[in-house]
Every structure is written in structure tokens, then in C-alpha cells.
Amino acid sequence: MPFYHWYEMSHAAFAPLRAVADATKLYYDNPLNPLSHSAVGKNVSAACELFERSTRRYGKPVFGLETTEIDGIEVPVVEKTVWSRPFCNLVRFERANPTRRKTAAPEPKLLIVAPMSGHYATLLRGTVETMLPHYDVYVTDWIDARAVPMAEGSFDLDDYIDYLIQIFGVLGKGAHVMAVCQPSVPVLAAAALMDEADHPALPASLVLMGGPIDTRINPTAVNKMAEEKDLSWFEQNVVMTVPFPHPGFMRTVYPGFLQLTGFMSMNMDRHLDAHKEFFNHLVDGDGDSADKHTEFYDEYMAVMDLTSEFYLQTVDAVFIKHSLPKGELTYRGHLVDPSAIHRIALMTVEGENDDISGVGQTEAAHTLCTNLPEDMRAHYMQPKVGHFGVFNGSRFRSEIAPRIRDFTATHSERLSSVNAAPPAPKVKAAPAAPKVTAAAKPTATAKKPPAVAKTAPAPAREPVAAVKNAPVAAKTRKAAPKKVAAKPKNDLASLLLSKPQGAADDLKKISGVGPKLENTLNQTGIFHFAQIARLSQRAIDELDDKLAFKGRVARDKWVEQAKALSGAAAKDETVG
């Protein structure tokens, strides 16, 4: 029997015992029962609660942040999902600032990228709570892979980077990004790709906290285990299939309960002692101490599954091959070059006693971003904290968070002024030259770094360049100029509409299209899935010129998605 199925069966088998434990606890907690005041009754009640908590399945917790305090005034907080994809929701913690003048500039946006490593984003509740009074806070709320149907497709490290780039686009230029642990690598990669492509929504700063940028430095037990095994070992031993009746039935995943087992085994003595103390607190009637235990473990024991493709690609690229520090990490075939970052400030934070990401692993990001000026860098190591203390707890609130606020405030206005100046020259921009056709002018592409996802040059450009360079006598021939000036039936203009035909389609259903991009498409004259489904390569090239981030039509497979959404596959008029 597959291990995941055995786990589910065991959980189901314990259900009657948990029910008995609950009933017994209620019996011995009843104040009308004389035994509830005896030592025997208290011990039995505590044992039943400990058994029930140790064998239950913990669901996804809630953030539960209903208010925050700004300048001594308590204001309400409303949790809203502002962007959604199959594997992630972008959650905004909306609140008013009663002390801020209406004419003042908008408050700085802070994106907290939660780790996709087994725990839910609610693990960062304390982080969000600390930052709420000072920022317009957004959090990536990753979705449990076992809850995502197979029909939604796969999700790997490249898709993760896609999501980040799309989210940066939703937030707009000048936001600040805080990556906690695992997302440090994809966040740095996304920033490098965007800076290289001259993306209009560049963040103002990155704050990488306890992240495995270069795990060759001070390797921890987690790092050593990954190096001792090859990728096939992980695929054979920890990748499992989601059982029925979960929505993600038949999806291959890295189960959250395995990740939790690994975390707990690293500090098993501490966890056993904590549960022993919890039992004693229950017997002694120390409700406050018992509540603190349950609050922590309700969060710690709630875990989610990861897609196998994301897990294996991360293990391979980050922990086995060390692709990013070696300069070998690729994103959809494009080499990720951290030295391209020269307009985004970078801060790294580490904990002195971190046993998951060793000291120096996160700081290594500075050695990779070679074109970043010194006044746009900062590194801080917090003494006497472990991994979780880097982003939560009293030292985070009193010592780390104020430094982050100071760093982001310093660089909030820098991005716009730096963008006004000519971009710094980049050695890596040269490889874009081979992409230019023989007749095209090379200086036309040298003005910008290469796009994140490049598409072939538009077929119409070569004849134009050729006509310009042709002898004067050739101007008497009418055929060539007519061919260039003629508008093919399936160019972009032939598909555009002045207004929607009936009700406009919800273009946000296409993965990669958000509210801002939908508005851009509507202004261009695209309102329906059928229009996108009929895009030819020529039309795609023309549409790319109108988008802020070229290559996304092909990269996100808009045409294929639109065909599925509109049922237009049978009426395909696309010309390759």
C-alpha cells in the first residue's frame, strides 16, 4: 500500500479513539463530577487532550488580524484576496491610516513572500502583525497542492517565478519585497530577470531573510542530507500520490506530513519536553502556559503538500547543484544573471543560531549582485536567534523589523531617480545580438537588456529593413513595397474591436492576466477569448509591443488557454 494511503487510513482508524478521548475529557472536566477536582481526574483529562491533539489533522489556520494600532489609534484590518491563481492567492491586509493626510503620498507597499516549504503563510502572522502599522501589506498565500485538481496543470520553480513577476506587476513600481527563507532564491531570480528586461514594475528593494542562496557555505544538517542523496533518491522515497477523496487526487506531491516529521526530528528532545510541560500545565491548571503551547502547535502542526515538480526542481537547483551561485540557474531556458540587478536595493538578514539556513548562506546574495552600488546594500546578523527568530518573536519586533523599516524608507524614492538615469552597461546583454535577423539593425536591440521570455522577431521587420538598404533603382518595383504595406487578414488590427460584441469575457481567467493587464487589453481592443485564440504569430509580435513585459503571450500560453476557454479550437485561423 502506498505510504500516503497508509497515512490516511491510520488517521481514519484513530477517529473513533479521538472521539472517545474527547468524550472522556468532557466527562472529567465537568465541574459537577467530583472526580474532576481530584488528581486522577486531572491526569486523565490532560492525557485525553494530549492524545487528541497528537493524533488530529490540523487544518489551515487563519491570520485572525482584525485590528492594528497606528500612532496609538486602533484601526480595523480587512483581509482581501486581490489576485488569484490555482496555486496562490495574493492577500492584502487593508486598513486605514487615521493620522495620514489625504494629500500625502500613498503608503509604501510591502510584499511578504511566504515560504512554500510545508507550512502555510499564516506561520508569518507575527511578521505581518509587526509590519501592518507601517506598510500596505500583501502576502503570498500558497495553496495546498492536494487541494488543487489535476486539471489545473503542473507547478514548478519556473511557474513560481512567473507568479512572482505577475504579482510584482500587480503591485506596481516601487514596492518592497520581503522573502522569508525558501523564496529567497526565486525572488532574487525574478528581480534579476525583471531588472535585465527593464520591467516597469521593478521593486524598490529586496529583503532576503534566512534564505538558502548558497548552501555550500556553513552547510546545515538539511543541506548535508540533500548533498548526500541524488535526485532519484528523493523522487523514489518522498514523492507520493494524493489519495482519494482529496481534490488533488492522483497529483504527485511531497507530503506536508513528511516535512513536518523532518522538522520535528531535528529537535525531537525539545518537542517531547514541550509536550511533557503541556501535560503538566493542564494538570496544574496553568491555562496561560497551556494556551501558549496550543497556539504555537496549532500553527506548527498545520502543513500543506508541495507539487513534486516544484519540490524536486528546488532540491536539485538549490541544494544539490547550487545552480544560482554557480551562475547556472535558468528560467525557461534563459540564464538568470544576478549581476543584472543594479536598480533594486538589497538587504539580507540572518540568525546567529539558524540551523536550517547557515550563517553566510543568505549574505552570499551580495557577492552575486556585482553591479549593485554599495549604498544600496545592507546585511544584518541577529545574535542569539534561530531560524524562526529571524522573522518572528521579540527580537524580530525590537531589533530586526526597525532595521528593515529604515532600509526600505531610505530606498523608497531611489528607484524613480535611478530609472531616470541611463541603465548601467551589462556584459550579459551581448548574447541578444544573435536573435536579430540579418537585415535588421543591431543598434535597435542594444538599447534594452534582453527580455525575460524572448519571442522571434516580427516577420514584417525584415522586409522593411531590406527595403531601406536596397539600391535606389529598386524603388521602381511596386511589388515589394505593397507586400510590406499590406495588412494581412490575421494581423492584430484585423482582430481588434471598438467595443465588445455582447458581454465582454473575463480575461482574468487566463493565467498570467490580472486586472491591470485586462484593462490594457480592453483599451487595445481585445474583449473576448475568441480574439486571443485567433492570434497569429504576427499578431502576437504586434501585441507584445503594446505590453509592458514582452514574451508573456507565448510564455503563459494565452492562445491555448483562450481556445480552451472559448471553445474556438475548431475555428482556428491562426497562421504560424
Side-chain angles (χ1 to χ4, degrees), residues 65 67-73 75 77 93 95-100 107-108 110 125-137 397 401 405:
L65 300 175
T67 62
T68 188
E69 188 174 292
I70 301 177
D71 295 330
I73 302 174
V75 296
V77 176
F93 293 85
R95 86 285 188 278
N97 188 339
T99 65
R100 194 176 187 85
E107 289 185 292
L110 175 67
R125 184 184 295 101
T127 315
V128 175
E129 188 175 20
T130 302
M131 295 303 185
L132 259 179
H134 311 282
Y135 298 92
D136 182 7
V137 178
R397 292 190 295 271
R405 292 198 298 269

PDB file of all heavy atoms in Angstrom, residues 65 67-73 75 77 93 95-100 107-108 110 125-137 397 401 405:
ATOM      1  N   LEU A  65      -6.109  38.673  12.017  1.00  0.00           N
ATOM      2  CA  LEU A  65      -5.654  40.026  12.354  1.00  0.00           C
ATOM      3  C   LEU A  65      -6.793  41.001  12.051  1.00  0.00           C
ATOM      4  O   LEU A  65      -6.947  41.460  10.924  1.00  0.00           O
ATOM      5  CB  LEU A  65      -4.400  40.379  11.543  1.00  0.00           C
ATOM      6  CG  LEU A  65      -3.197  39.456  11.777  1.00  0.00           C
ATOM      7  CD1 LEU A  65      -2.062  39.812  10.832  1.00  0.00           C
ATOM      8  CD2 LEU A  65      -2.727  39.547  13.224  1.00  0.00           C
ATOM      9  N   THR A  67      -7.468  43.915  13.857  1.00  0.00           N
ATOM     10  CA  THR A  67      -7.129  45.321  14.119  1.00  0.00           C
ATOM     11  C   THR A  67      -5.619  45.480  14.170  1.00  0.00           C
ATOM     12  O   THR A  67      -4.870  44.513  14.340  1.00  0.00           O
ATOM     13  CB  THR A  67      -7.723  45.807  15.462  1.00  0.00           C
ATOM     14  OG1 THR A  67      -7.162  45.020  16.539  1.00  0.00           O
ATOM     15  CG2 THR A  67      -9.239  45.694  15.468  1.00  0.00           C
ATOM     16  N   THR A  68      -5.189  46.716  14.020  1.00  0.00           N
ATOM     17  CA  THR A  68      -3.787  47.066  14.231  1.00  0.00           C
ATOM     18  C   THR A  68      -3.756  48.459  14.851  1.00  0.00           C
ATOM     19  O   THR A  68      -4.742  49.204  14.783  1.00  0.00           O
ATOM     20  CB  THR A  68      -2.980  47.037  12.921  1.00  0.00           C
ATOM     21  OG1 THR A  68      -1.587  47.211  13.225  1.00  0.00           O
ATOM     22  CG2 THR A  68      -3.414  48.150  11.962  1.00  0.00           C
ATOM     23  N   GLU A  69      -2.645  48.813  15.431  1.00  0.00           N
ATOM     24  CA  GLU A  69      -2.534  50.110  16.099  1.00  0.00           C
ATOM     25  C   GLU A  69      -1.567  51.002  15.342  1.00  0.00           C
ATOM     26  O   GLU A  69      -0.411  50.633  15.106  1.00  0.00           O
ATOM     27  CB  GLU A  69      -2.057  49.919  17.543  1.00  0.00           C
ATOM     28  CG  GLU A  69      -2.110  51.201  18.373  1.00  0.00           C
ATOM     29  CD  GLU A  69      -1.769  50.955  19.825  1.00  0.00           C
ATOM     30  OE1 GLU A  69      -2.567  50.294  20.526  1.00  0.00           O
ATOM     31  OE2 GLU A  69      -0.687  51.407  20.242  1.00  0.00           O
ATOM     32  N   ILE A  70      -2.052  52.178  14.934  1.00  0.00           N
ATOM     33  CA  ILE A  70      -1.230  53.145  14.210  1.00  0.00           C
ATOM     34  C   ILE A  70      -1.206  54.448  14.992  1.00  0.00           C
ATOM     35  O   ILE A  70      -2.248  55.085  15.196  1.00  0.00           O
ATOM     36  CB  ILE A  70      -1.787  53.390  12.785  1.00  0.00           C
ATOM     37  CG1 ILE A  70      -1.823  52.073  11.999  1.00  0.00           C
ATOM     38  CG2 ILE A  70      -0.961  54.430  12.050  1.00  0.00           C
ATOM     39  CD1 ILE A  70      -2.410  52.199  10.614  1.00  0.00           C
ATOM     40  N   ASP A  71      -0.024  54.835  15.455  1.00  0.00           N
ATOM     41  CA  ASP A  71       0.153  56.065  16.241  1.00  0.00           C
ATOM     42  C   ASP A  71      -0.815  56.128  17.423  1.00  0.00           C
ATOM     43  O   ASP A  71      -1.433  57.162  17.698  1.00  0.00           O
ATOM     44  CB  ASP A  71      -0.033  57.300  15.347  1.00  0.00           C
ATOM     45  CG  ASP A  71       1.033  57.391  14.275  1.00  0.00           C
ATOM     46  OD1 ASP A  71       2.155  56.912  14.520  1.00  0.00           O
ATOM     47  OD2 ASP A  71       0.744  57.909  13.183  1.00  0.00           O
ATOM     48  N   GLY A  72      -0.964  54.967  18.081  1.00  0.00           N
ATOM     49  CA  GLY A  72      -1.800  54.915  19.266  1.00  0.00           C
ATOM     50  C   GLY A  72      -3.283  54.779  19.002  1.00  0.00           C
ATOM     51  O   GLY A  72      -4.081  54.737  19.946  1.00  0.00           O
ATOM     52  N   ILE A  73      -3.678  54.689  17.734  1.00  0.00           N
ATOM     53  CA  ILE A  73      -5.095  54.574  17.391  1.00  0.00           C
ATOM     54  C   ILE A  73      -5.352  53.180  16.819  1.00  0.00           C
ATOM     55  O   ILE A  73      -4.668  52.743  15.898  1.00  0.00           O
ATOM     56  CB  ILE A  73      -5.512  55.647  16.370  1.00  0.00           C
ATOM     57  CG1 ILE A  73      -5.238  57.045  16.921  1.00  0.00           C
ATOM     58  CG2 ILE A  73      -6.985  55.498  15.987  1.00  0.00           C
ATOM     59  CD1 ILE A  73      -5.496  58.154  15.924  1.00  0.00           C
ATOM     60  N   VAL A  75      -7.129  50.623  14.557  1.00  0.00           N
ATOM     61  CA  VAL A  75      -7.899  50.691  13.313  1.00  0.00           C
ATOM     62  C   VAL A  75      -8.228  49.269  12.852  1.00  0.00           C
ATOM     63  O   VAL A  75      -7.471  48.331  13.109  1.00  0.00           O
ATOM     64  CB  VAL A  75      -7.116  51.431  12.198  1.00  0.00           C
ATOM     65  CG1 VAL A  75      -6.870  52.870  12.582  1.00  0.00           C
ATOM     66  CG2 VAL A  75      -5.800  50.729  11.899  1.00  0.00           C
ATOM     67  N   VAL A  77      -8.731  45.997  10.402  1.00  0.00           N
ATOM     68  CA  VAL A  77      -7.987  45.399   9.294  1.00  0.00           C
ATOM     69  C   VAL A  77      -8.930  44.450   8.551  1.00  0.00           C
ATOM     70  O   VAL A  77      -9.620  43.640   9.174  1.00  0.00           O
ATOM     71  CB  VAL A  77      -6.757  44.622   9.795  1.00  0.00           C
ATOM     72  CG1 VAL A  77      -6.055  43.915   8.635  1.00  0.00           C
ATOM     73  CG2 VAL A  77      -5.789  45.557  10.506  1.00  0.00           C
ATOM     74  N   PHE A  93      -3.846  43.093   3.389  1.00  0.00           N
ATOM     75  CA  PHE A  93      -4.384  43.444   4.700  1.00  0.00           C
ATOM     76  C   PHE A  93      -4.705  44.938   4.662  1.00  0.00           C
ATOM     77  O   PHE A  93      -3.854  45.780   4.936  1.00  0.00           O
ATOM     78  CB  PHE A  93      -3.391  43.087   5.804  1.00  0.00           C
ATOM     79  CG  PHE A  93      -3.187  41.612   5.949  1.00  0.00           C
ATOM     80  CD1 PHE A  93      -2.256  40.947   5.153  1.00  0.00           C
ATOM     81  CD2 PHE A  93      -3.943  40.878   6.835  1.00  0.00           C
ATOM     82  CE1 PHE A  93      -2.087  39.571   5.263  1.00  0.00           C
ATOM     83  CE2 PHE A  93      -3.776  39.512   6.952  1.00  0.00           C
ATOM     84  CZ  PHE A  93      -2.848  38.857   6.166  1.00  0.00           C
ATOM     85  N   ARG A  95      -6.178  48.442   5.587  1.00  0.00           N
ATOM     86  CA  ARG A  95      -6.526  49.219   6.770  1.00  0.00           C
ATOM     87  C   ARG A  95      -6.339  50.698   6.473  1.00  0.00           C
ATOM     88  O   ARG A  95      -5.558  51.084   5.605  1.00  0.00           O
ATOM     89  CB  ARG A  95      -5.709  48.792   7.993  1.00  0.00           C
ATOM     90  CG  ARG A  95      -4.351  49.427   8.176  1.00  0.00           C
ATOM     91  CD  ARG A  95      -3.295  48.901   7.230  1.00  0.00           C
ATOM     92  NE  ARG A  95      -1.956  49.392   7.533  1.00  0.00           N
ATOM     93  CZ  ARG A  95      -1.480  50.557   7.155  1.00  0.00           C
ATOM     94  NH1 ARG A  95      -2.227  51.392   6.488  1.00  0.00           N
ATOM     95  NH2 ARG A  95      -0.254  50.932   7.474  1.00  0.00           N
ATOM     96  N   ALA A  96      -7.052  51.512   7.195  1.00  0.00           N
ATOM     97  CA  ALA A  96      -6.948  52.957   7.045  1.00  0.00           C
ATOM     98  C   ALA A  96      -5.838  53.480   7.951  1.00  0.00           C
ATOM     99  O   ALA A  96      -5.429  52.820   8.914  1.00  0.00           O
ATOM    100  CB  ALA A  96      -8.276  53.614   7.390  1.00  0.00           C
ATOM    101  N   ASN A  97      -5.342  54.661   7.630  1.00  0.00           N
ATOM    102  CA  ASN A  97      -4.371  55.327   8.491  1.00  0.00           C
ATOM    103  C   ASN A  97      -4.964  56.659   8.908  1.00  0.00           C
ATOM    104  O   ASN A  97      -4.927  57.631   8.153  1.00  0.00           O
ATOM    105  CB  ASN A  97      -3.049  55.534   7.745  1.00  0.00           C
ATOM    106  CG  ASN A  97      -1.943  56.044   8.669  1.00  0.00           C
ATOM    107  OD1 ASN A  97      -2.223  56.595   9.739  1.00  0.00           O
ATOM    108  ND2 ASN A  97      -0.703  55.854   8.265  1.00  0.00           N
ATOM    109  N   PRO A  98      -5.541  56.726  10.117  1.00  0.00           N
ATOM    110  CA  PRO A  98      -6.261  57.935  10.532  1.00  0.00           C
ATOM    111  C   PRO A  98      -5.368  59.157  10.703  1.00  0.00           C
ATOM    112  O   PRO A  98      -5.867  60.283  10.704  1.00  0.00           O
ATOM    113  CB  PRO A  98      -6.901  57.513  11.859  1.00  0.00           C
ATOM    114  CG  PRO A  98      -6.040  56.407  12.369  1.00  0.00           C
ATOM    115  CD  PRO A  98      -5.548  55.683  11.149  1.00  0.00           C
ATOM    116  N   THR A  99      -4.067  58.960  10.873  1.00  0.00           N
ATOM    117  CA  THR A  99      -3.169  60.097  11.091  1.00  0.00           C
ATOM    118  C   THR A  99      -2.522  60.578   9.802  1.00  0.00           C
ATOM    119  O   THR A  99      -1.752  61.522   9.820  1.00  0.00           O
ATOM    120  CB  THR A  99      -2.069  59.714  12.097  1.00  0.00           C
ATOM    121  OG1 THR A  99      -1.252  58.670  11.518  1.00  0.00           O
ATOM    122  CG2 THR A  99      -2.664  59.226  13.388  1.00  0.00           C
ATOM    123  N   ARG A 100      -2.834  59.931   8.677  1.00  0.00           N
ATOM    124  CA  ARG A 100      -2.203  60.293   7.404  1.00  0.00           C
ATOM    125  C   ARG A 100      -3.108  61.270   6.648  1.00  0.00           C
ATOM    126  O   ARG A 100      -4.300  61.034   6.472  1.00  0.00           O
ATOM    127  CB  ARG A 100      -1.956  59.038   6.569  1.00  0.00           C
ATOM    128  CG  ARG A 100      -1.017  59.252   5.394  1.00  0.00           C
ATOM    129  CD  ARG A 100      -0.767  57.923   4.683  1.00  0.00           C
ATOM    130  NE  ARG A 100       0.236  58.024   3.649  1.00  0.00           N
ATOM    131  CZ  ARG A 100       1.537  57.931   3.853  1.00  0.00           C
ATOM    132  NH1 ARG A 100       1.982  57.715   5.078  1.00  0.00           N
ATOM    133  NH2 ARG A 100       2.398  58.036   2.868  1.00  0.00           N
ATOM    134  N   GLU A 107       1.006  55.050   0.985  1.00  0.00           N
ATOM    135  CA  GLU A 107       1.917  54.343   1.878  1.00  0.00           C
ATOM    136  C   GLU A 107       2.716  53.299   1.103  1.00  0.00           C
ATOM    137  O   GLU A 107       2.227  52.755   0.101  1.00  0.00           O
ATOM    138  CB  GLU A 107       1.127  53.661   2.994  1.00  0.00           C
ATOM    139  CG  GLU A 107       0.545  54.639   3.986  1.00  0.00           C
ATOM    140  CD  GLU A 107      -0.132  53.922   5.139  1.00  0.00           C
ATOM    141  OE1 GLU A 107      -1.168  53.298   4.900  1.00  0.00           O
ATOM    142  OE2 GLU A 107       0.376  54.002   6.261  1.00  0.00           O
ATOM    143  N   PRO A 108       3.939  53.024   1.532  1.00  0.00           N
ATOM    144  CA  PRO A 108       4.753  52.035   0.810  1.00  0.00           C
ATOM    145  C   PRO A 108       4.115  50.651   0.859  1.00  0.00           C
ATOM    146  O   PRO A 108       3.573  50.240   1.888  1.00  0.00           O
ATOM    147  CB  PRO A 108       6.090  52.057   1.559  1.00  0.00           C
ATOM    148  CG  PRO A 108       5.775  52.609   2.916  1.00  0.00           C
ATOM    149  CD  PRO A 108       4.645  53.575   2.703  1.00  0.00           C
ATOM    150  N   LEU A 110       4.378  46.625   0.868  1.00  0.00           N
ATOM    151  CA  LEU A 110       5.312  45.578   1.277  1.00  0.00           C
ATOM    152  C   LEU A 110       4.721  44.229   0.915  1.00  0.00           C
ATOM    153  O   LEU A 110       3.642  43.857   1.402  1.00  0.00           O
ATOM    154  CB  LEU A 110       5.571  45.642   2.787  1.00  0.00           C
ATOM    155  CG  LEU A 110       6.457  44.507   3.347  1.00  0.00           C
ATOM    156  CD1 LEU A 110       7.883  44.620   2.808  1.00  0.00           C
ATOM    157  CD2 LEU A 110       6.461  44.518   4.880  1.00  0.00           C
ATOM    158  N   ARG A 125       2.211  35.127  10.688  1.00  0.00           N
ATOM    159  CA  ARG A 125       1.231  36.018  11.303  1.00  0.00           C
ATOM    160  C   ARG A 125       1.921  37.125  12.107  1.00  0.00           C
ATOM    161  O   ARG A 125       1.572  38.307  12.016  1.00  0.00           O
ATOM    162  CB  ARG A 125       0.297  35.229  12.218  1.00  0.00           C
ATOM    163  CG  ARG A 125      -0.825  36.065  12.825  1.00  0.00           C
ATOM    164  CD  ARG A 125      -1.669  35.275  13.813  1.00  0.00           C
ATOM    165  NE  ARG A 125      -2.397  34.201  13.165  1.00  0.00           N
ATOM    166  CZ  ARG A 125      -2.020  32.907  13.193  1.00  0.00           C
ATOM    167  NH1 ARG A 125      -0.908  32.557  13.842  1.00  0.00           N
ATOM    168  NH2 ARG A 125      -2.735  31.986  12.606  1.00  0.00           N
ATOM    169  N   GLY A 126       2.899  36.755  12.898  1.00  0.00           N
ATOM    170  CA  GLY A 126       3.615  37.747  13.698  1.00  0.00           C
ATOM    171  C   GLY A 126       4.377  38.740  12.841  1.00  0.00           C
ATOM    172  O   GLY A 126       4.485  39.922  13.191  1.00  0.00           O
ATOM    173  N   THR A 127       4.918  38.272  11.719  1.00  0.00           N
ATOM    174  CA  THR A 127       5.629  39.159  10.792  1.00  0.00           C
ATOM    175  C   THR A 127       4.676  40.191  10.222  1.00  0.00           C
ATOM    176  O   THR A 127       4.982  41.392  10.174  1.00  0.00           O
ATOM    177  CB  THR A 127       6.246  38.328   9.640  1.00  0.00           C
ATOM    178  OG1 THR A 127       6.885  37.177  10.169  1.00  0.00           O
ATOM    179  CG2 THR A 127       7.236  39.147   8.857  1.00  0.00           C
ATOM    180  N   VAL A 128       3.512  39.725   9.768  1.00  0.00           N
ATOM    181  CA  VAL A 128       2.510  40.625   9.207  1.00  0.00           C
ATOM    182  C   VAL A 128       2.048  41.627  10.260  1.00  0.00           C
ATOM    183  O   VAL A 128       1.945  42.837  10.000  1.00  0.00           O
ATOM    184  CB  VAL A 128       1.308  39.822   8.667  1.00  0.00           C
ATOM    185  CG1 VAL A 128       0.205  40.759   8.201  1.00  0.00           C
ATOM    186  CG2 VAL A 128       1.747  38.898   7.535  1.00  0.00           C
ATOM    187  N   GLU A 129       1.780  41.131  11.454  1.00  0.00           N
ATOM    188  CA  GLU A 129       1.290  41.993  12.538  1.00  0.00           C
ATOM    189  C   GLU A 129       2.280  43.105  12.857  1.00  0.00           C
ATOM    190  O   GLU A 129       1.892  44.249  13.115  1.00  0.00           O
ATOM    191  CB  GLU A 129       1.023  41.144  13.782  1.00  0.00           C
ATOM    192  CG  GLU A 129       0.339  41.879  14.910  1.00  0.00           C
ATOM    193  CD  GLU A 129      -0.006  40.956  16.052  1.00  0.00           C
ATOM    194  OE1 GLU A 129       0.596  39.855  16.149  1.00  0.00           O
ATOM    195  OE2 GLU A 129      -0.883  41.322  16.864  1.00  0.00           O
ATOM    196  N   THR A 130       3.583  42.772  12.815  1.00  0.00           N
ATOM    197  CA  THR A 130       4.615  43.767  13.115  1.00  0.00           C
ATOM    198  C   THR A 130       4.713  44.834  12.033  1.00  0.00           C
ATOM    199  O   THR A 130       4.947  46.009  12.317  1.00  0.00           O
ATOM    200  CB  THR A 130       5.975  43.071  13.280  1.00  0.00           C
ATOM    201  OG1 THR A 130       5.891  42.102  14.328  1.00  0.00           O
ATOM    202  CG2 THR A 130       7.075  44.071  13.604  1.00  0.00           C
ATOM    203  N   MET A 131       4.509  44.435  10.771  1.00  0.00           N
ATOM    204  CA  MET A 131       4.684  45.364   9.656  1.00  0.00           C
ATOM    205  C   MET A 131       3.425  46.167   9.321  1.00  0.00           C
ATOM    206  O   MET A 131       3.512  47.194   8.645  1.00  0.00           O
ATOM    207  CB  MET A 131       5.139  44.579   8.413  1.00  0.00           C
ATOM    208  CG  MET A 131       6.506  43.939   8.570  1.00  0.00           C
ATOM    209  SD  MET A 131       7.755  45.184   8.957  1.00  0.00           S
ATOM    210  CE  MET A 131       9.252  44.208   8.945  1.00  0.00           C
ATOM    211  N   LEU A 132       2.259  45.710   9.781  1.00  0.00           N
ATOM    212  CA  LEU A 132       0.991  46.341   9.409  1.00  0.00           C
ATOM    213  C   LEU A 132       0.910  47.841   9.724  1.00  0.00           C
ATOM    214  O   LEU A 132       0.378  48.608   8.908  1.00  0.00           O
ATOM    215  CB  LEU A 132      -0.171  45.616  10.090  1.00  0.00           C
ATOM    216  CG  LEU A 132      -0.965  44.641   9.231  1.00  0.00           C
ATOM    217  CD1 LEU A 132      -2.073  43.980  10.036  1.00  0.00           C
ATOM    218  CD2 LEU A 132      -1.564  45.352   8.028  1.00  0.00           C
ATOM    219  N   PRO A 133       1.395  48.307  10.863  1.00  0.00           N
ATOM    220  CA  PRO A 133       1.255  49.743  11.135  1.00  0.00           C
ATOM    221  C   PRO A 133       2.068  50.633  10.201  1.00  0.00           C
ATOM    222  O   PRO A 133       1.815  51.838  10.131  1.00  0.00           O
ATOM    223  CB  PRO A 133       1.772  49.864  12.579  1.00  0.00           C
ATOM    224  CG  PRO A 133       1.657  48.491  13.153  1.00  0.00           C
ATOM    225  CD  PRO A 133       1.926  47.571  12.014  1.00  0.00           C
ATOM    226  N   HIS A 134       3.026  50.054   9.480  1.00  0.00           N
ATOM    227  CA  HIS A 134       3.967  50.870   8.711  1.00  0.00           C
ATOM    228  C   HIS A 134       3.856  50.711   7.196  1.00  0.00           C
ATOM    229  O   HIS A 134       4.425  51.512   6.456  1.00  0.00           O
ATOM    230  CB  HIS A 134       5.398  50.521   9.138  1.00  0.00           C
ATOM    231  CG  HIS A 134       5.595  50.507  10.619  1.00  0.00           C
ATOM    232  ND1 HIS A 134       5.742  51.665  11.357  1.00  0.00           N
ATOM    233  CD2 HIS A 134       5.638  49.480  11.520  1.00  0.00           C
ATOM    234  CE1 HIS A 134       5.884  51.350  12.645  1.00  0.00           C
ATOM    235  NE2 HIS A 134       5.823  50.034  12.766  1.00  0.00           N
ATOM    236  N   TYR A 135       3.145  49.673   6.732  1.00  0.00           N
ATOM    237  CA  TYR A 135       3.104  49.393   5.300  1.00  0.00           C
ATOM    238  C   TYR A 135       1.691  48.992   4.870  1.00  0.00           C
ATOM    239  O   TYR A 135       0.864  48.573   5.689  1.00  0.00           O
ATOM    240  CB  TYR A 135       4.036  48.225   4.939  1.00  0.00           C
ATOM    241  CG  TYR A 135       5.497  48.441   5.232  1.00  0.00           C
ATOM    242  CD1 TYR A 135       6.037  48.046   6.457  1.00  0.00           C
ATOM    243  CD2 TYR A 135       6.348  49.010   4.291  1.00  0.00           C
ATOM    244  CE1 TYR A 135       7.384  48.211   6.733  1.00  0.00           C
ATOM    245  CE2 TYR A 135       7.697  49.182   4.553  1.00  0.00           C
ATOM    246  CZ  TYR A 135       8.206  48.786   5.778  1.00  0.00           C
ATOM    247  OH  TYR A 135       9.547  48.940   6.047  1.00  0.00           O
ATOM    248  N   ASP A 136       1.483  49.075   3.568  1.00  0.00           N
ATOM    249  CA  ASP A 136       0.333  48.453   2.923  1.00  0.00           C
ATOM    250  C   ASP A 136       0.779  47.028   2.612  1.00  0.00           C
ATOM    251  O   ASP A 136       1.501  46.793   1.645  1.00  0.00           O
ATOM    252  CB  ASP A 136      -0.003  49.227   1.645  1.00  0.00           C
ATOM    253  CG  ASP A 136      -1.228  48.681   0.933  1.00  0.00           C
ATOM    254  OD1 ASP A 136      -1.902  47.793   1.493  1.00  0.00           O
ATOM    255  OD2 ASP A 136      -1.502  49.124  -0.203  1.00  0.00           O
ATOM    256  N   VAL A 137       0.370  46.061   3.438  1.00  0.00           N
ATOM    257  CA  VAL A 137       0.971  44.722   3.440  1.00  0.00           C
ATOM    258  C   VAL A 137       0.199  43.748   2.544  1.00  0.00           C
ATOM    259  O   VAL A 137      -1.030  43.677   2.587  1.00  0.00           O
ATOM    260  CB  VAL A 137       1.036  44.160   4.876  1.00  0.00           C
ATOM    261  CG1 VAL A 137       1.616  42.746   4.866  1.00  0.00           C
ATOM    262  CG2 VAL A 137       1.890  45.070   5.761  1.00  0.00           C
ATOM    263  N   ARG A 397      10.766  41.828  16.438  1.00  0.00           N
ATOM    264  CA  ARG A 397       9.998  43.063  16.595  1.00  0.00           C
ATOM    265  C   ARG A 397      10.867  44.233  17.039  1.00  0.00           C
ATOM    266  O   ARG A 397      10.685  45.355  16.561  1.00  0.00           O
ATOM    267  CB  ARG A 397       8.867  42.838  17.594  1.00  0.00           C
ATOM    268  CG  ARG A 397       7.785  41.891  17.115  1.00  0.00           C
ATOM    269  CD  ARG A 397       6.579  41.902  18.051  1.00  0.00           C
ATOM    270  NE  ARG A 397       6.921  41.381  19.376  1.00  0.00           N
ATOM    271  CZ  ARG A 397       6.846  40.106  19.718  1.00  0.00           C
ATOM    272  NH1 ARG A 397       6.446  39.203  18.825  1.00  0.00           N
ATOM    273  NH2 ARG A 397       7.145  39.714  20.939  1.00  0.00           N
ATOM    274  N   ALA A 401      12.982  44.224  12.672  1.00  0.00           N
ATOM    275  CA  ALA A 401      11.965  45.000  11.955  1.00  0.00           C
ATOM    276  C   ALA A 401      12.314  46.485  11.850  1.00  0.00           C
ATOM    277  O   ALA A 401      12.143  47.087  10.776  1.00  0.00           O
ATOM    278  CB  ALA A 401      10.595  44.813  12.609  1.00  0.00           C
ATOM    279  N   ARG A 405      12.576  48.586   8.323  1.00  0.00           N
ATOM    280  CA  ARG A 405      11.819  49.812   8.055  1.00  0.00           C
ATOM    281  C   ARG A 405      12.750  50.957   7.651  1.00  0.00           C
ATOM    282  O   ARG A 405      12.439  51.725   6.734  1.00  0.00           O
ATOM    283  CB  ARG A 405      10.995  50.203   9.289  1.00  0.00           C
ATOM    284  CG  ARG A 405       9.867  49.232   9.605  1.00  0.00           C
ATOM    285  CD  ARG A 405       8.838  49.880  10.522  1.00  0.00           C
ATOM    286  NE  ARG A 405       9.399  50.252  11.809  1.00  0.00           N
ATOM    287  CZ  ARG A 405       9.411  49.457  12.892  1.00  0.00           C
ATOM    288  NH1 ARG A 405       8.917  48.238  12.815  1.00  0.00           N
ATOM    289  NH2 ARG A 405       9.909  49.874  14.026  1.00  0.00           N
TER     290      ARG A 405
END
